[in-house]
Amino acid sequence: LERGKQCTLLDIHILTGRTHQLRVHCAHCRGLGNPIVGDRLYGQPSQRLMLHASRLAFEGFDFRDEPDDDVFPASAESRTSR
């Protein structure tokens, strides 16, 4: 969706909900080949794991949020221009 100076904002939809599915597919050479920032198991340690959800949906519930403006400032600009 958007490329930052040191990271990229992705739109990923989980199909199976298996443990570590996103982390493995991002890090594996046959997947994206780029681990999630801060992933101690599949990538390089950092202050924290930079894996965030902008939407979580369960039967009868739907929660939404926006990306962090300090990480992806262009996202904030596009939201304010709508």
Side-chain angles (χ1 to χ4, degrees):
L1 292 177
E2 187 174 332
R3 184 172 289 255
K5 291 181 182 177
Q6 296 180 336
C7 53
T8 302
L9 179 64
L10 302 173
D11 182 15
I12 300 175
H13 299 265
I14 300 172
L15 299 177
T16 66
R18 292 185 177 268
T19 305
H20 303 290
Q21 179 185 15
L22 292 177
R23 294 167 63 195
V24 170
H25 286 283
C26 285
H28 198 277
C29 63
R30 292 186 181 167
L32 296 177
N34 291 294
I36 296 170
V37 174
D39 191 334
R40 295 173 186 262
L41 182 60
Y42 300 106
Q44 297 293 322
S46 185
Q47 291 180 335
R48 62 188 175 98
L49 180 64
M50 299 293 276
L51 176 60
H52 308 283
S54 63
R55 179 178 180 218
L56 295 174
F58 303 94
E59 188 174 321
F61 298 94
D62 193 353
F63 305 95
R64 295 174 186 262
D65 198 3
E66 298 289 342
D68 292 336
D69 296 343
D70 59 333
V71 177
F72 293 99
S75 293
E77 293 170 16
S78 67
R79 286 194 307 274
T80 57
S81 64
R82 290 181 194 164

